Amino acid sequence: MDFALNEEQELFRTAIRKYMTDLGKTDIARSVIDGKLEVVTRVTAGFAEMGISAIPISEEQDGLGLGALDLVPVFEETGRVLLPGIQLETIALAVPLINNYGTQVQKSNLLSKVAIGESTISVAWYEQNRGLTPKSFSTIAGKTTSGYAVTGTKTLVAVLGNPDFFITGAQTAEGKSLFLIKASDVASRKILSSIDETQQIAQLTFDQAPAELLGELGEATQMLDDALLHFNAALCSSMVGGMDELVHTTTEYAKIRVQFNQPIGRFQAVKHGIVNMKLDLETARSLSYYAAWAVENDTADKQTAVHSARSFISKAYIKAAADSIQLHGGIGFTEELDVQLYLKRARYYENYFGSVRDSRKKTAHSLGWHTKSTKQTPVPVF
Amino acid sequence: MDFTFTKKEEKFRSELRGWLEQNLPEGWLKGNRKLPEDSKLYSQFLRDWQRSLYEGGWAAIAWPKEYGGRDATLIEEIVYHQEMVRVQSPPLINYIGIHMVAPTLMQMGTVTQKEEFIEKILTGEQVWSQGYSEPSAGSDLSAIQTTAVKKDDKWVINGQKVWTSFAHVADRCFLLTKTEKSEGKHDGITVFLLDMNQPGVETVPIVQMDGHQEFNEVYLTDAIATDADVVGEVGKGWKVLIALMLHERSGIAAQVFTLEQQFNRVVEMAKAVQVCGVSLIEDPFVEDGLADLYTRINGAKLNYYRNITHTLKNGKPGPESSLDKLLVSELTKELFDFAMTIQGHAGVLMAEEALFDSDMQAQYLASFGATIGGGTSEVQRNTIGERILGLPKDLGR
Ligand SMILES: Cc1cc2nc3c(=O)[nH]c(=O)nc-3n(C[C@H](O)[C@H](O)[C@H](O)COP(=O)(O)OP(=O)(O)OC[C@H]3O[C@@H](n4cnc5c(N)ncnc54)[C@H](O)[C@@H]3O)c2cc1C
């Protein structure tokens, strides 16, 4: 029994934390709000230098061939400072999709560039008013002499830092399928205004965009679900990082802010409020570690591990940020304080590729709650 | 990270399993787990059970070998509690003796005290209670009013204890008294190992809200103790009290696994109980609520594993382990609260008439004690806020 990150992972955490501090922590996110987007390119290069973007990529494609657990310290630390960009989409969604379903050629063309920081990839899945699991896509892929051509409009696509490729879902005769499209082949792009201004989401229009098939025709949903295990594990770590920072800053504020001649942290309404945040944080961290462990080891309970973690953490993150605003008083309601940025990020993630309700449903199904009851024994066997 | 048990640990598990199959009371494994109603028979039944645990070498596995334990590792303790919870073993009547008093005596008792008490605690010959709380001193134990006054070579004790678990069956009491008026709130307190079988000690059972009588009032009227009964130094009992409370934490493993088992039972109920031919679990409200509880209960267990790992790596528990009690006790309450809700109006039926489990309604009622006994949730939150987060202390303390 050993339930902790190993020494190298903790050392890696220290290094990433230092890098984030050198970049000015949430200053990076605030630069994006101010429209200074160069910083995002710098981060992509920095990530490659530190070997972060190479973590989940195999050695054949110039990667490190490491697993989901090695991403835990990375995303906790980027989540702590609300690092803007599409690191999660590239490293934890596009890479697993290409790793699992790409051809040898696609892997060598795409992944080594990601590993060395020359490329980022986003996922264009959503369509307007169709939710996460549409019966069919309105975006259509037609066969051409050299491959496919995709036409249609996608929305809610994360585009900060200008990804070079999009993995998109489109309808074919066989059903919903996945395609790779070069960013330069996107017909038009409209940035959408979003509650989280530290990120950028866009509506993309494809007009006969040349596209390469990824994986099997008609298998888009199943492929996405599979890759989302990686994505959700990483997303959970990112949210845990944010929660950790919220507990820390709220605690420190409660020690120095004086009212009625005493630090407000002495009032139990405040103290217990922060303790409740801390309890959620510890549970969130345990669940996220376990989720990453289950993904890395491809365990039988990985569905349960990931979806239960996501269901708890999405909700707990919003609560931590909301409570933190309240415990700060007036200053908590200002633009100046970072806490509001955490709330907006938490909201941005809440329903991203799956809601709390979806995750709980998946948890219930993966635990076999909807299969016929088996015979009960008075003494269960583990 | 690694969640497997070693060969040695699994061997330990199968050894214990084998022993339990041979030695649990008649019919226990088949589900006949009723304890005697009558207080005397109840006490005898549980003393017999402890005696056989002792004879098998399973009464106090964490104790050092020199005292009759097994020097069990933390992981073996996990395995032990998993197995005990799995078979829903009869309660340990001398829980306080084994998990709290004896470890404290090993740490700070005199040679004579160790010789006189530790073995009897192990065999179950001597059952112990813990006399801390009083009518006007619960969360604030520094307010105790029970006095011990030296007369000639004897200590004469007067006062009243309350909520004293097991006192009605106990032979001895780990008793907190005031021996001098003092400036500091934590000074002048002395701990005695009080003999309860004497005329000056009167025990009156209290009926709990779940109908059981497991705790008591204890009236002390010129009760007698000697110098040999004092733990540590006279007037320095606060240190002893803190030492014992640290041992109290060891019960968390059993609580974690019990909660997990109780949760699985509620899921079984939600699958088995049907309304108009549809299982409760098919109701999205039920499914959603149970998935949420599953996640948080599993999270509490994983927190516990993380804390155990910390302890194994650092040689001593980190402060985070104090979160476990709070989480587990609060979750137990929430679980049964939800279990009541989803049964609909038939959920009011209990015992033999219960919709699914004859014990569930009683467990719901009993769950309220979990966030009060052993330090209330509010007091736990104070402790966590101050010790772990470093927030300023309550003015009164
Ligand atoms: C099942 C059970 C078994 C028990 N067994 C034993 C036993 O064997 N031996 C023994 O000595 N005692 C035992 N107790 C007693 C238990 O330790 C006390 O009940 C507990 O410490 C609370 O004390 P109290 O009942 O006096 O409540 P109080 O201290 O009066 O508390 C009343 C309310 O005030 C709150 N409160 C008190 N102080 C604070 C504060 N500083 N900040 C915020 N809120 C506060 C409490 O949280 C609670 O909600 C047992 C209790 C139970 C329920």
Side-chain angles (χ1 to χ4, degrees), chain B residues 73-317:
Chain B
T73 63
L74 273 176
I75 306 295
E76 284 168 342
E77 277 191 77
I78 290 183
V79 172
Y80 177 84
H81 288 298
Q82 275 183 337
E83 290 302 313
M84 291 310 223
V85 168
R86 190 178 69 89
V87 301
Q88 296 183 36
S89 74
L92 192 58
I93 191 169
N94 208 12
Y95 184 88
I96 290 174
I98 286 188
H99 290 290
M100 289 142 83
V101 176
T104 308
L105 290 181
M106 289 173 203
Q107 199 182 332
M108 47 181 44
T110 63
V111 177
T112 327
Q113 286 169 347
K114 290 179 190 170
E115 279 172 3
E116 192 181 340
F117 299 120
I118 292 183
E119 195 183 337
K120 287 183 188 152
I121 287 176
L122 187 65
T123 60
E125 183 185 335
Q126 208 175 58
V127 170
W128 281 71
S129 62
Q130 178 192 18
Y132 282 17
S133 305
E134 297 184 3
S136 51
S139 300
D140 180 11
L141 287 176
S142 69
I144 54 162
Q145 291 172 0
T146 294
T147 56
V149 178
K150 191 84 177 259
K151 283 210 180 103
D152 306 322
D153 58 345
K154 296 255 187 315
W155 289 92
V156 181
I157 302 173
N158 283 285
Q160 189 205 329
K161 295 291 168 181
V162 72
W163 324 126
T164 323
S165 303
F166 301 109
H168 54 305
V169 291
D171 307 286
R172 287 259 163 184
C173 182
F174 197 87
L175 187 77
L176 215 56
T177 68
K178 199 91 182 155
T179 41
E180 42 199 286
K181 288 225 162 50
S182 52
E183 289 283 295
K185 284 170 26 126
H186 297 159
D187 299 333
I189 286 173
T190 303
V191 172
F192 288 92
L193 305 172
L194 184 77
D195 184 355
M196 294 189 74
N197 299 316
Q198 58 166 308
V201 179
E202 191 199 351
T203 299
V204 182
I206 305 171
V207 183
Q208 300 162 194
M209 65 177 273
D210 61 355
H212 289 279
Q213 301 187 10
E214 282 150 357
F215 58 22
N216 308 267
E217 294 175 295
V218 176
Y219 293 94
L220 302 158
T221 316
D222 292 337
I224 301 296
T226 67
D227 279 335
D229 294 325
V230 174
V231 188
E233 282 175 59
V234 171
K236 297 263 160 48
W238 195 257
K239 266 191 358 210
V240 183
L241 169 149
I242 298 288
L244 181 128
M245 282 189 174
L246 289 176
H247 293 296
E248 199 168 348
R249 293 238 194 96
S250 63
I252 196 73
Q255 291 167 36
V256 167
F257 298 127
T258 302
L259 175 58
E260 195 179 30
Q261 188 179 55
Q262 288 166 335
F263 175 77
N264 290 337
R265 190 81 183 130
V266 175
V267 172
E268 272 177 42
M269 175 177 82
K271 288 170 96 172
V273 173
Q274 300 196 333
V275 178
C276 303
V278 180
S279 299
L280 296 180
I281 194 83
E282 302 304 328
D283 176 346
F285 168 78
V286 174
E287 180 204 54
D288 197 76
L290 285 177
D292 179 32
L293 280 162
Y294 164 82
T295 303
R296 289 187 291 140
I297 288 169
N298 194 44
K301 184 176 81 174
L302 291 170
N303 281 341
Y304 170 68
Y305 285 166
R306 207 146 54 83
N307 291 331
I308 287 283
T309 302
H310 180 98
T311 308
L312 286 170
K313 288 194 173 154
N314 298 273
K316 58 176 192 319

Side-chain angles (χ1 to χ4, degrees), chain A residues 62-311:
Chain A
D62 305 316
L64 296 169
L66 297 171
L69 275 170
D70 296 291
L71 291 176
V72 169
V74 172
F75 286 113
E76 273 195 29
E77 294 312 314
T78 60
R80 180 189 303 283
V81 301
L82 300 174
L83 187 74
I86 54 166
Q87 301 82 14
L88 274 168
E89 289 80 356
T90 302
I91 299 176
L93 189 51
V95 168
L97 277 171
I98 296 166
N99 257 337
N100 293 349
Y101 306 107
T103 61
Q104 270 313 318
V105 180
Q106 285 168 339
K107 283 187 201 173
S108 38
N109 284 349
L110 297 165
L111 295 182
S112 30
K113 282 202 179 142
V114 170
I116 59 174
E118 280 182 7
S119 174
T120 58
I121 307 172
S122 190
V123 177
W125 176 270
Y126 288 96
E127 294 179 352
Q128 203 162 356
N129 299 333
R130 289 195 180 215
L132 179 61
T133 46
K135 282 212 173 64
S136 64
F137 284 126
S138 66
T139 301
I140 288 180
K143 196 114 179 63
T144 64
T145 44
S146 56
Y148 290 84
V150 169
T151 300
T153 301
K154 292 283 168 180
T155 186
L156 297 168
V157 186
V159 295
L160 188 58
N162 296 324
D164 310 270
F165 279 92
F166 292 101
I167 295 176
T168 194
Q171 199 67 27
T172 61
E174 293 79 2
K176 286 172 285 177
S177 308
L178 287 183
F179 294 92
L180 278 154
I181 296 177
K182 280 206 197 83
S184 51
D185 289 327
V186 174
S188 70
R189 183 180 105 151
K190 181 181 154 207
I191 300 292
L192 307 170
S193 72
S194 146
I195 195 168
D196 183 0
E197 295 173 284
T198 68
Q199 296 287 32
Q200 248 185 8
I201 47 179
Q203 177 183 302
L204 303 184
T205 303
F206 302 118
D207 182 9
Q208 294 292 320
E212 233 183 77
L213 181 69
L214 177 65
E216 307 241 330
L217 285 164
E219 296 291 319
T221 304
Q222 172 263 318
M223 291 191 280
L224 183 78
D225 278 352
D226 224 44
L228 280 179
L229 291 175
H230 294 260
F231 177 80
N232 280 322
L235 175 58
C236 283
S237 292
S238 173
M239 295 193 281
V240 166
M243 287 177 75
D244 196 285
E245 190 59 22
L246 285 165
V247 171
H248 177 74
T249 48
T250 315
T251 305
E252 292 314 303
Y253 186 69
K255 287 179 193 171
I256 56 160
R257 170 68 179 168
V258 172
Q259 284 296 283
F260 301 98
N261 297 320
Q262 50 200 307
I264 56 166
R266 184 168 276 143
F267 302 124
Q268 288 186 350
V270 173
K271 182 183 286 176
H272 292 190
I274 301 175
V275 168
N276 289 341
M277 287 166 70
K278 169 77 173 166
L279 292 176
D280 276 359
L281 167 64
E282 293 303 319
T283 300
R285 180 165 273 144
S286 293
L287 290 168
S288 77
Y289 280 16
Y290 189 75
W293 178 81
V295 168
E296 174 158 324
N297 293 288
D298 197 21
T299 62
D301 67 345
K302 67 180 175 188
Q303 300 276 349
T304 312
V306 169
H307 293 302
S308 62
R310 173 84 201 267
S311 75

Side-chain angles (χ1 to χ4, degrees), chain A residues 349-371:
Chain A
Y349 285 151
E350 181 189 12
N351 292 303
Y352 193 22
F353 287 116
S355 64
V356 170
R357 173 70 192 124
D358 292 339
S359 314
R360 288 191 185 154
K361 222 189 273 182
K362 287 183 172 166
T363 302
H365 280 274
S366 63
L367 285 166
W369 289 354
H370 297 287
T371 55

